[in-house]
Amino acid sequence: MPVMIAPTSRHKLANPSGEIATARAASTCNTIMVLSISSTCTLEEVASCCNAVRFFQLCVYKRRDITAKLVQRAENNGYKAIVLTGDSPRHGGREADIKNKIIIPELKNVEGLLSTKIVADKGSNLDALANQTRDPSFSWEDIGWLKSITKLPILIKGLLTHEDALKALEVGAAGIIVSNHGGRQLDYCPPTISVLEEVVHAVGGKVPVFLDVGVRQGTDIFKAMALGAQAVLVGRPVLYGLAAKGENGVRRVLEMLKEELELTMALSGCSNVKEITRSHVRTKHDRQLLSLL
């Protein structure tokens, strides 16, 4: 089904089994899991727990040698792609975390490589950790370096504009994920569904385009595909299912989305996903054009 599990961090905050439970649910439902670099289970533990198809989400650290080691570990453990987060040169101002002075669990993937025991006198140690360890200077030109250290395809996550989509093609991205980081990085950035078609048109079919953020029902998946997405990524609903019923909860969330998508397709006259076309949806822009006729 055209539903992937988005990279979300620290699954053990939702359930003691953490990302292992999520990966097993993905395997059962025959879909792809994107493992967060900030997972609470190591990428090796997740790789060995089941046969799920896995991608590895990457943020680039100031210490490039650590980043390179993580990429090599992902490649050696059967991950099929690198998902590079491109919209987080700095950590967004997450006010609830700052107010609550959140203390995060240890990040297993960098254990022994990077100290994550950062104490913040004010605000959250999550914010302090991200801003002290991630490389804010990483730019389009550096993607060549990333491509030089891996044979895996690189998808860029966090693009919202025609211009950035073209730039991603120039640097050799194998795919684009339209994402606004769950609305947690920059206030007032556009909903991803509203800019999806702009990115799809810019890409012109040269690489696949995926939609992240805001998918809550099967109708959302249908709309995204009608506007040109090859698949969607789902984050928060997966964590809700994980918190409620562990692996079974994640599996049920994925099953519900599949059932709702199939129902939407049936009621729209589509017997397979290839029959979902632009004619099945009408956007605000379409309505404006019709009013001028």
Side-chain angles (χ1 to χ4, degrees):
M1 62 178 172
V3 179
M4 300 159 59
I5 294 180
T8 48
S9 65
R10 303 169 182 87
H11 286 202
K12 283 190 177 180
L13 290 175
N15 183 277
S17 297
E19 289 81 5
I20 287 175
T22 308
R24 286 174 174 165
S27 179
T28 300
C29 294
N30 196 30
T31 194
I32 296 170
M33 176 186 180
V34 186
L35 180 71
S36 169
I37 190 174
S38 300
S39 59
T40 43
C41 299
T42 67
L43 60 89
E44 289 86 0
E45 289 172 333
V46 173
S48 64
C49 76
C50 64
N51 293 322
V53 177
R54 301 169 307 278
F55 294 174
F56 183 67
Q57 176 261 333
L58 182 72
C59 293
V60 177
Y61 289 120
K62 292 176 182 178
R63 284 188 55 186
R64 294 284 179 89
D65 61 315
I66 292 176
T67 302
K69 286 178 181 177
L70 289 169
V71 170
Q72 290 161 8
R73 284 167 57 189
E75 189 166 339
N76 292 338
N77 282 275
Y79 288 74
K80 301 300 184 183
I82 298 296
V83 174
L84 175 67
T85 294
D87 57 357
S88 299
R90 292 185 60 185
H91 204 246
R94 301 176 186 178
E95 295 176 359
D97 290 348
I98 295 170
K99 179 181 179 181
N100 296 325
K101 296 184 178 180
I102 188 172
I103 303 295
I104 60 168
E106 286 289 298
L107 303 181
K108 289 295 185 178
N109 285 319
V110 294
E111 198 169 48
L113 299 173
L114 182 71
S115 175
T116 59
K117 294 180 179 179
I118 295 175
V119 178
D121 294 331
K122 297 180 180 179
S124 73
N125 80 328
L126 175 60
D127 190 51
L129 173 64
N131 289 331
Q132 288 187 38
T133 58
R134 291 183 190 172
D135 184 359
S137 71
F138 192 84
S139 64
W140 292 109
E141 290 73 21
D142 294 307
I143 292 178
W145 166 80
L146 183 57
K147 292 181 68 177
S148 73
I149 64 170
T150 182
K151 297 178 182 179
L152 296 178
I154 298 169
L155 287 70
I156 302 180
K157 175 179 173 288
L159 306 186
L160 296 170
T161 67
H162 176 99
E163 292 82 3
D164 278 351
L166 292 177
K167 195 69 178 178
L169 291 178
E170 287 178 20
V171 299
I176 291 173
I177 300 176
V178 178
S179 176
N180 62 16
H181 214 102
R184 301 196 305 159
Q185 277 296 98
L186 178 65
D187 288 344
Y188 305 110
C189 58
T192 53
I193 193 72
S194 70
V195 296
L196 171 62
E197 198 167 24
E198 174 183 336
V199 173
V200 168
H201 286 166
V203 168
K206 295 182 178 68
V207 298
V209 177
F210 307 95
L211 177 86
D212 180 40
V213 184
V215 175
R216 297 295 181 268
Q217 297 181 5
T219 46
D220 297 325
I221 305 168
F222 186 91
K223 288 182 288 184
M225 298 191 72
L227 292 171
Q230 268 70 42
V232 302
L233 285 81
V234 178
R236 285 183 177 95
V238 166
L239 290 175
Y240 298 156
L242 182 64
K245 291 188 176 182
E247 179 185 337
N248 290 337
V250 176
R251 187 178 69 246
R252 185 61 192 132
V253 166
L254 295 172
E255 288 171 348
M256 288 169 65
L257 289 171
K258 182 180 180 182
E259 292 164 3
E260 291 167 0
L261 174 60
E262 289 176 342
L263 177 60
T264 305
M265 289 170 58
L267 296 177
S268 302
C270 300
S271 59
N272 60 65
V273 293
K274 292 181 180 180
E275 293 181 5
I276 303 173
T277 68
R278 182 62 175 80
S279 65
H280 286 103
V281 293
R282 182 171 294 174
T283 66
K284 182 179 180 181
H285 179 67
D286 295 331
R287 291 194 294 272
Q288 291 172 341
L289 290 176
L290 286 172
S291 69
L292 296 175
L293 297 177

